[in-house]
Amino acid sequence: MTTTVRIPEDWPATEEQARAVQDGLRERVILDEAGPPPGTGRVTGVDVAYDDERDVVAAAAVVLDASSLDVVAEATAVGRVSFPYVPGLLAFREIPTVLAALDALPLPPGLVVCDGYGLAHPRRFGLASHLGVLTGLPTIGVAKNPFTFTYDAPGTRRGSTSALLTGSEEVGRALRTRDGVKPVFVSVGHRVTLANACAHTLALTPDYRLPETTRRADALCRRALREAFHGDPSEAP
């Protein structure tokens, strides 16, 4: 079942309002908790898909058993895109539907893995941090590219890392999840250390470059978006 989401009445409407929200929430990010041990409990992937012509976004949350990586629960939500496309403010386009998908889960999600950034963000407050502060859940970001940050190539073997840097500040790590394959870019969201975030990412990538959480959530949100328009398009959110 897919939840239909409306844009919250108090949602930021301008870049200035959105940045003010980021500034206020960023102070609440917790960086001194280790987070849950990798391979234990539950871990949940969240991802979104867009239909730009209809101005609609679909979000998916897929819960895996962290030890077996079997799916134990999933939920989707579809709604109107809640903010214009502005680099550095992409979370404001996605948060309402992602929160709705998480809220629709029948059990606690455990650690949440975002297809994107946490501290590895120009304002040090990407989707993973934003989502973590709003929910109180431990969160990490695992991105496909390094955004605007620099890094030296990690070693070619799985598990090799290098610092993701802005100047001398480490905002995340490039992590090789497959031998000889392009790394992913891991950053802390909320209530997890960077070392633990990398360990979780390795536990979630036994066979592919991207975490199983991201792979499953990506497929589910794309399916939810397709199914939203099987009927009359005028009935879409």
Side-chain angles (χ1 to χ4, degrees), residues 210-229:
L210 296 179
E212 285 301 300
T213 41
T214 298
R215 286 166 38 81
R216 305 290 181 88
D218 174 74
L220 183 58
C221 67
R222 291 175 187 275
R223 189 175 78 208
L225 192 63
R226 291 194 303 269
E227 292 176 351
F229 302 108

Side-chain angles (χ1 to χ4, degrees), residues 101-117:
L102 285 170
D103 288 344
L105 291 171
L107 42 73
L111 175 84
V112 177
V113 181
C114 299
D115 178 27
Y117 308 94

